[in-house]
Amino acid sequence: MGETMDAAVITGPGEAEVNRVPRPEPGAGEVLVALEGCGVCASNLPLWQGRPWFSYPALPGAPGHEGWGRVQALGDGAQGVKVGDRIAFLSNNAYAQFDLVRTDALVKIPPSLDDQPFPGEPVGCAMNVFRRSCIEPGQTVALIGAGFLGAIFTSLAAARGARVIAISRRSFALELARRCGAEETVLLDDHQRVMDRVREIAGERGCDRVIEATGHQWPLDLAGELVREGGKIIIAGYHQDGLRQVNLQLWNWKGIDVINAHERDARVYLEGMRAGIAAVESRMFPLGELITHSFPLAGLARAYRIMEERPDGFLKGMIRIGQ
C-alpha cells in the first residue's frame, strides 16, 4: 500500500472532484478497510445542493456512510475481525479508497454474499423501520414512497402476511413493489383520488399501518387520512428541508401512534444490518435488483444529479471503488 489514496471531495454546492490525500492509519481498536463501494443516500442532498450552514470543501470521502469492503490492516487491540474479512460498517467518509472503522461499528458479510454489493447501513435502516412498525399477519399496510427502503419493506411485510398497498408517483417503482409482494398499487397523483382508491381497497376503516417513506409534506398529510383509528403512522422518510405541519386534531381524534423510525444508536443500526444480512441470505428481498445505478469514484457529481432527477428506472445508486 502507498501512503496516499483517492478520495472524492465535495468542493462546493453541486461540485465534486477526486483528490489524492494521505491514507489513514488505524489506531487502537480500529481497522483500515479497502472500500469496494458505497451507496449514495438522498439524506445527503442538502450538502450537495448547498445550505447556509455547510462549509466547503467537505472532508475527503464525506458524506459517504453506506460503505462496504475488506479489512486491509488492524490497529492495536482490534479484535473480532481479521485481514481479508468482508465487512459493512458505519462511518461518514466512505467515498474513498480506504476508510477507518472502529471494530464496534462493523458487521462481517458472509462469503455467501461475496458476489453482490452490500450497502449495509441503508439495509439496516430498512430492517429497523420494519421492526418498529410491528407488522402482524392480516394487517393492511399502506406504504407511501416505494423506493429502495420501500421495496425492502414491502418484501418483509408481505412475507409476514400483511396486505401491502404501495403508493408512489413513479410507475416503475409500483411495478417493482408488485414484484416484491404488494397486493395493490396506487399512483400518487391526486390527494382525493388516492384516498378514495385506498378506501376502496382497505375499507372505510382505513389502514392498520401507514409507512411514510418520502420525506415530504404531502405524503405526511396523506398518512393521517389513510390510517385507521388506533393505528400507527411510521415516519421513515427523512424530513430535512424545513418545518412540517400535521393535522393534530385528526391525529388526536383517531388516537393513533406516531413512530419516528430513525435510529441514532449505533448498536441498533448494527442489529439491523445483521438482520439484513440474514434476510438477503434467505432471499427475502432482491438486494441486487434494488441497486439500479453504478458510478465510478470520479462520477460522484453525476450520481447526485441522477438521484436529484430520479429518472425512470432509478431506485438506488452506488459508487464503485475497488474489489
Side-chain angles (χ1 to χ4, degrees), residues 2-286:
E3 296 183 353
T4 60
M5 67 175 184
D6 287 338
V9 176
I10 296 179
T11 56
E15 299 177 348
E17 61 186 35
V18 174
N19 290 349
R20 198 72 183 168
V21 301
R23 177 177 56 80
E25 293 294 333
E30 293 180 329
V31 302
L32 179 70
V33 57
L35 272 297
E36 292 181 9
C38 182
V40 183
C41 182
S43 70
N44 299 135
L45 278 175
L47 174 64
W48 171 251
Q49 295 167 338
R51 298 289 191 275
W53 53 87
F54 291 122
S55 59
Y56 300 90
L59 293 174
H65 61 273
E66 299 183 359
W68 70 93
R70 291 192 182 271
V71 175
Q72 187 77 26
L74 304 177
D76 291 340
Q79 298 179 347
V81 291
K82 64 182 183 299
V83 172
D85 281 347
R86 194 166 186 246
I87 62 171
F89 55 89
L90 301 176
S91 82
N92 290 292
N93 302 289
Y95 292 143
Q97 288 181 303
F98 297 94
D99 198 1
L100 292 180
V101 185
R102 300 190 319 275
T103 53
D104 61 356
L106 60 83
V107 298
K108 288 195 246 185
I109 304 172
S112 60
L113 302 182
D114 274 354
D115 62 340
Q116 63 178 289
F118 198 91
E121 192 270 353
V123 170
C125 181
M127 299 301 295
N128 284 327
V129 168
F130 179 72
R131 175 181 56 82
R132 295 284 299 277
S133 301
C134 300
I135 301 296
E136 298 177 6
Q139 288 183 331
T140 298
V141 179
L143 169 72
I144 310 175
F148 177 83
L149 184 151
I152 295 176
F153 182 91
T154 296
S155 296
L156 298 173
R160 180 64 62 85
R163 181 190 193 189
V164 180
I165 305 169
I167 305 169
S168 174
R169 63 182 178 81
R170 299 190 299 159
S171 297
F172 159 77
L174 293 177
E175 292 170 6
L176 178 60
R178 281 275 192 185
R179 296 199 298 274
C180 289
E183 185 171 320
E184 301 283 352
T185 59
V186 178
L187 190 65
L188 183 61
D189 58 355
D190 177 80
H191 191 90
Q192 189 61 49
R193 195 196 69 81
V194 172
M195 287 173 51
D196 292 344
R197 179 61 184 134
V198 172
R199 284 170 180 161
E200 288 178 5
I201 299 168
E204 289 296 324
R205 182 168 175 263
C207 299
D208 301 288
R209 302 286 185 270
V210 179
I211 317 301
E212 185 280 306
T214 70
H216 296 292
Q217 177 69 58
W218 173 28
L220 195 60
D221 297 336
L222 191 59
E225 300 283 0
L226 300 182
V227 68
R228 68 166 173 82
E229 293 178 24
K232 297 182 188 294
I233 292 176
I234 295 87
I235 300 174
Y238 196 55
H239 292 261
Q240 56 187 334
D241 60 347
L243 299 178
R244 292 289 181 260
Q245 293 181 325
V246 298
N247 185 345
L248 199 56
Q249 180 184 13
L250 178 64
W251 288 18
N252 279 163
W253 182 78
K254 285 190 171 183
I256 61 175
D257 292 332
V258 181
I259 299 169
N260 175 13
H262 291 276
E263 300 290 350
R264 286 298 173 262
D265 188 329
R267 293 170 299 177
V268 177
Y269 256 115
L270 294 172
E271 290 170 6
M273 290 163 70
R274 294 187 187 100
I277 286 171
V280 174
E281 280 194 299
S282 300
R283 301 183 184 276
M284 293 188 69
F285 55 87

